[in-house]
Amino acid sequence: MPTAKKRPASRTAARKAAPAKAAAPKPAPAKAAPPAAPAKPAASPRTATTATPPKPEKPKKPKLVRDSFTIPKAEFTVLQDLKQRAATLGAPAKKSELLRAGIKSLAAMGDAAFRAALGAVPAIKTGRPTKG
């Protein structure tokens, strides 16, 4: 008479029994010691003079900040006109470049001129404009 394999009563019992066999702890592999660094030969006077000069450090790129703002349509039109003017002078510029140039100009002004420039700009309501 052939021997019959014993089956668990349900599938969940079989799933619970299977991980018990696979959960046997494995021995940790032995860590190998890192190889010793080879000893450096003493620098000869001839090699010291032929060494390449150190590279000059590159200036780091400034971190950029993205922002949005509301501008009256009339001033936006002036911005477009300034872009066109720069293009006709042979130096095409983007809107952001024009704004940055304006910021530099404002920063270079004295206090009285800066206050006068700010007084010439009317305050507008902040936030997104209504559609229409």
Side-chain angles (χ1 to χ4, degrees):
M1 216 162 138
T3 58
K5 293 183 181 178
K6 292 184 179 181
R7 290 188 178 178
S10 67
R11 289 185 180 189
T12 56
R15 287 183 190 152
K16 288 181 182 177
K21 293 178 185 177
K26 294 181 181 179
K31 293 184 179 180
K40 293 183 179 180
S44 65
R46 191 170 54 165
T47 58
T49 58
T50 59
T52 59
K55 293 181 182 177
E57 291 186 26
K58 292 183 181 177
K60 290 186 177 181
K61 292 183 180 178
K63 185 170 180 167
L64 302 178
V65 178
R66 186 159 177 86
D67 198 3
S68 63
F69 55 90
T70 304
I71 185 170
K73 189 165 186 149
E75 293 174 11
F76 188 78
T77 304
V78 172
L79 194 58
Q80 295 297 327
D81 293 341
L82 289 172
K83 279 184 64 173
Q84 188 65 36
R85 183 176 169 189
T88 57
L89 292 173
K94 298 176 184 175
K95 284 184 278 188
S96 63
E97 293 169 340
L98 290 171
L99 293 171
R100 289 171 42 220
I103 290 169
K104 286 190 174 210
S105 297
L106 287 171
M109 288 182 183
D111 290 341
F114 179 66
R115 181 175 280 183
L118 283 179
V121 177
I124 59 173
K125 183 180 167 185
T126 58
R128 291 194 168 268
T130 57
K131 294 199 176 196

